[in-house]
């Protein structure tokens, strides 16, 4: 069985009109398993999120950031004008997103 939803033409490149329910179940299982492991993740991590994201639950990316075990992690929160897909042309802060990623990668600490 599938979950069906109507999408406007401009959204069809970024979202599914049909989503398999079994796939959603598997993603939720993976999400729960990864959540338990977050404190053990120590790789440098950049977390970007948006207050305007209508796809994920509010506070999700902040919770992810707090729970990560990485000693080197950065968090950036965009405002309400920024959509779910941060790298899309629909994001008015697309170039800022790319700059944040570039700065993060250029400033990674040296590996031991």
């Amino acid at each position: 069985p599938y979950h069906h939803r109507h999408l406007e033409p401009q959204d069809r490149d970024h979202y599914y009109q049909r989503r398999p329910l079994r796939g959603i179940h598997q993603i939720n299982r993976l999400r729960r398993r990864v959540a338990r492991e977050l404190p053990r993740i120590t790789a440098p991590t950049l977390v970007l999120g948006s207050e305007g994201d209508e796809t994920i639950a509010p506070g999700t990316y902040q919770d992810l950031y707090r729970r990560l075990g990485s000693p080197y992690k950065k968090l950036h929160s965009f405002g309400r004008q920024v959509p779910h897909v941060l790298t899309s042309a629909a994001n008015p802060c697309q170039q800022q997103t790319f700059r944040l990623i570039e700065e993060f990668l250029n400033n990674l600490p040296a590996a031991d």
Side-chain angles (χ1 to χ4, degrees), residues 31-51:
R31 185 183 54 77
R32 284 189 299 273
R33 183 167 182 182
V34 169
R36 290 190 303 264
E37 300 297 325
L38 288 174
R40 294 180 51 201
I41 296 175
T42 59
T45 307
L46 173 63
V47 177
L48 302 174
S50 165
E51 296 301 317

Side-chain angles (χ1 to χ4, degrees), residues 89-108:
N91 177 3
C93 297
Q94 181 191 44
Q95 292 307 309
Q96 182 183 4
T97 299
F98 294 148
R99 279 193 304 278
L100 288 166
I101 294 167
E102 181 179 28
E103 288 171 14
F104 179 81
L105 293 173
N106 287 335
N107 291 304
L108 287 173

Side-chain angles (χ1 to χ4, degrees), residues 24-101:
I24 293 169
H25 172 71
Q26 291 301 320
I27 288 171
N28 284 329
R29 285 185 62 211
L30 175 64
R31 185 183 54 77
R32 284 189 299 273
R33 183 167 182 182
V34 169
R36 290 190 303 264
E37 300 297 325
L38 288 174
R40 294 180 51 201
I41 296 175
T42 59
T45 307
L46 173 63
V47 177
L48 302 174
S50 165
E51 296 301 317
D53 190 333
E54 296 178 358
T55 302
I56 65 168
T60 300
Y61 66 96
Q62 294 97 332
D63 184 54
L64 168 74
Y65 177 81
R66 278 190 300 276
R67 296 179 65 199
L68 279 167
S70 176
Y72 185 80
K73 57 186 178 180
K74 301 286 181 187
L75 172 68
H76 184 85
S77 180
F78 291 100
R80 296 194 129 326
Q81 78 282 12
V82 175
H84 175 68
V85 183
L86 298 176
T87 57
S88 78
N91 177 3
C93 297
Q94 181 191 44
Q95 292 307 309
Q96 182 183 4
T97 299
F98 294 148
R99 279 193 304 278
L100 288 166
I101 294 167

